Structure formats: C-alpha cells, structure tokens
C-alpha cells in the first residue's frame, strides 16, 4: 500500500509538471495497473493497462499556433503603408476630402468654359453633371441608383460651388500654385480611380455573360464612362468633346485602367493574389496621378489629334 501511494504521488506530480505528457489517460496507466494488482490479489489483466494510441501520420508537417507562419504575401507591402490607405480612401473622412478636391478641380476646369452671363442655376447644374456624370450614366445602364441621389456628393459639390462663386480668386491660386494644383490632382485622381473600380465591379456583377465565361466589354465600357462621363453631360453636347481633339486625357486613361482592371479580376491573372481589387485600385490611382501630372506640366495636355476624314 505504501509503494502504491508513492507511485501514485510521483505520477501525479509528473503529470502536472511535465509539458510533454498531453494525455491523462496514458499518464495514469501505471497507476491503474498497480491498483488492479493490489485489488485483484496479483492478477493483471492486459485490458486494464491503458496504452496510448500512436499518433496519426500526416503528410504535412504539424505546426502549433505559436510556430505557424502566416500566409506569405509577396505584394503585401503595397497595402502596408499609411499612404496607400489614403490613396484607397480607407476612411470616410479621407473619401470626403478627395471628393471635395475632385469637385474643386472640376470647377476650376468648368468655369472658364461657361458662356458669359449664365445663371446661377445653370452653373450649379453644370458642376453637378461634371462631377457625377459617370455616376449618373452607368447606374442607368445597369439599373442602379445614380450617385448624385446620395447625400455625400451633393454636400461636397455645394461646398465647392460656394467657394467658386464667392471666392473666384481660388481658381487663380490653383492656376498659379503648382503645389496646390498637384495636391488637388492627387485627390482628384484617387477619387476617379475609386469610381472606375467601383463601377467596373458593379457592372461585372450586373451584366450576365453571353459569349464568354464572364462579361467582357460591358464592364470595360462602364468603367471607362465612370472615369470620364462628366465630359459628355449634358447630353446636348453629343460627341463634340471628341470631335476635334480626340480622346482627352481622362477619357483614354479611364479606358486603359478599366480594361486592365476588368481583365485582371476576371481571368487567372488574379489567382493567388491577396486582396487583388485593392492592389489594382492602388496601381490605377498611381497611374492616374502620374499621367495627369505629366500631361499637365510636361506635355502641355493631350496633343494627340485624330485625322479627320
């Protein structure tokens, strides 16, 4: 009986202190055997001795939670910086700021082209159409709600309109200050990349495929219109914006971005990529910013002219 108590105490202490013994049943096997030895007068049954089962073999190396490595993302550095969060309009405040810059720069482009002695309502409606043209046309195509009916765009458009009406010298500051204008260009293009990606995805989900496994041309056209639709509104303009000078910089850049984004997301090019839509949007925004700055300060605008027949 003394021997039995000693062995039982020793095994219990080993069970509590050792980190290698995980199965209590396997650790209490000797204790059960000794208990059977004293209770049955020396007879030991093989079934009374509990033998731990061998581990099940696995084709992959077993990893614990402490040593398991997360999924490696070779392009994860694209989304790790704070700058990328700003470009992707990560928060509502950043989105509002970029939308305001978008509306302010659109007003800078629109006001010099307006006819003389136009009414206040005419200028306001034109500013709305310039800012939400793509967000009006594309939802009509895919049977959705235009963005101009939401609360966000009217707020920033009204703010930009008040500034342009009460402080027209702001347009002169934008034209004279490269730093201020480049800052507005960055906000303008970040918002435009967001619109192109959002409308391309919405069109891809709404349009059923016909000849291919996925809708090919519809989402590309919708994304391109989303990035430059304001140039064709009001619809009384027709094709006059491209009649003489061809596609302007926002038009063909939106077409290129929409094509690349849709083909990347709809084919095997995005297989294995973590968060492909966000990374594609980030690259599109960088492309828009670089191309706009180049066209504004180094190329003097889009000089490509189409031959007339």
């Amino acid at each position: 009986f003394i021997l039995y108590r000693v062995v039982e105490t020793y095994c219990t202490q080993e069970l509590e202190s050792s980190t290698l013994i995980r199965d209590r049943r396997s650790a209490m096997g000797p204790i059960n055997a000794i208990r059977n030895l004293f209770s049955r007068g020396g007879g030991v049954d093989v079934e009374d001795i509990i033998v731990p089962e061998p581990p099940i073999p696995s084709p992959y190396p077993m990893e614990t939670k402490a040593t398991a490595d997360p999924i490696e993302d070779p392009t994860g550095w694209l989304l790790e910086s704070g700058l990328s969060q700003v470009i992707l309009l990560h928060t509502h405040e950043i989105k509002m700021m970029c939308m305001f810059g978008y509306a302010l720069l659109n007003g800078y482009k629109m006001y010099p082209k307006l006819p003389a002695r136009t009414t206040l309502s005419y200028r306001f409606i034109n500013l709305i159409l310039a800012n939400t043209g793509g967000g009006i046309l594309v939802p009509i195509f895919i049977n959705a709600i235009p963005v101009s009916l939401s609360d966000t765009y009217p707020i920033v458009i009204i703010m930009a309109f008040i500034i342009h009406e009460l402080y027209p010298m702001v347009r002169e500051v934008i034209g004279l200050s490269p730093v201020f204008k480049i800052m507005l260009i960055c906000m303008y293009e970040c918002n435009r990349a967001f619109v192109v990606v959002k409308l391309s995805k919405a069109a891809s989900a709404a349009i059923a495929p016909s000849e291919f496994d996925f809708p090919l041309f519809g989402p590309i056209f919708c994304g391109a219109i989303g990035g430059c639709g304001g140039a064709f509104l009001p619809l009384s303009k027709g094709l006059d914006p491209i009649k003489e000078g061809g596609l302007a910089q926002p038009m063909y850049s939106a077409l290129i971005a929409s094509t690349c984004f849709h083909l990347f997301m709809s084919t095997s090019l995005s297989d294995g990529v973590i968060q492909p839509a966000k990374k594609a949007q980030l690259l599109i925004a960088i492309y828009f910013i670089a191309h706009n700055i180049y066209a504004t300060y180094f190329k003097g605008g889009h000089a490509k002219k189409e031959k007339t027949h």
Side-chain angles (χ1 to χ4, degrees), residues 263-279:
L263 294 180
F264 171 71
M265 294 296 297
S266 302
T267 61
S268 59
L269 295 174
S270 59
D271 291 349
V273 180
I274 300 176
Q275 296 180 318
K278 288 187 177 181
K279 293 175 181 177

Side-chain angles (χ1 to χ4, degrees), residues 131-151:
N131 283 278
T132 62
I136 294 175
L137 294 176
V138 174
I140 292 176
F141 297 157
I142 62 176
N143 194 25
I145 299 176
V147 297
S148 57
L149 298 182
S150 65
D151 294 331

